[in-house]
Amino acid sequence: MKLIQAIIKPFKLDEVKDALNEIGIEGITVSEVKGFGRQKGHTELYRGAEYVVDFIPKVKIEIAVADELVAKVVGAVEQTAKTGRIGDGKIFVMPLDEAIRIRTGEKGDEAI
């Protein structure tokens, strides 16, 4: 099993969710997060004063999947979240040692 984390632009969330539904992903966790990468934030003007926004709003998606679905999920997220502009985000794939469904006690692939 793997845990896939994707940091994407907020307006791409619905497209990514739909793409994941199409390949059979039934559950995701979404968090609103802030951060920056190479883009290092940006400058905005508010009431005539200029100020720096260091942390850019992003969305973090977490998906637990069986090993055989990793390539499909990564491909779907990468394809739908891409705008071709700086700040499109990142995808991280990590090993997932165990998953347990609290309600039934199922473990492993059955729990996800």
Side-chain angles (χ1 to χ4, degrees):
M1 294 179 298
K2 302 282 188 217
L3 179 64
I4 299 171
Q5 288 185 343
I7 311 294
I8 64 170
K9 291 182 174 184
F11 69 89
K12 285 294 200 170
L13 178 59
D14 285 336
E15 287 179 56
V16 171
K17 181 183 65 98
D18 292 343
L20 291 171
N21 281 336
E22 284 180 23
I23 61 172
I25 300 302
E26 296 175 345
I28 64 173
T29 301
V30 177
S31 305
E32 292 181 10
V33 296
K34 292 181 181 185
F36 66 89
R38 290 184 182 162
Q39 67 196 94
K40 302 283 192 263
H42 62 275
T43 304
E44 289 189 3
L45 196 60
Y46 179 72
R47 294 188 178 185
E50 200 172 90
Y51 66 99
V52 176
V53 178
D54 290 332
F55 295 103
I56 308 297
K58 300 285 183 177
V59 171
K60 179 167 83 169
I61 301 170
E62 296 176 295
I63 312 150
V65 297
D67 289 332
E68 58 269 11
L69 290 175
V70 172
K72 275 184 160 180
V73 170
V74 168
V77 172
E78 186 176 10
Q79 189 174 29
T80 54
K82 183 177 184 177
T83 66
R85 303 190 63 179
I86 193 164
D88 274 351
K90 297 268 193 295
I91 300 171
F92 305 102
V93 179
M94 297 163 277
L96 183 59
D97 293 334
E98 185 65 90
I100 302 163
R101 178 170 289 141
I102 295 172
R103 179 178 54 88
T104 62
E106 293 171 298
K107 295 184 178 190
D109 286 344
E110 292 81 33
I112 56 174

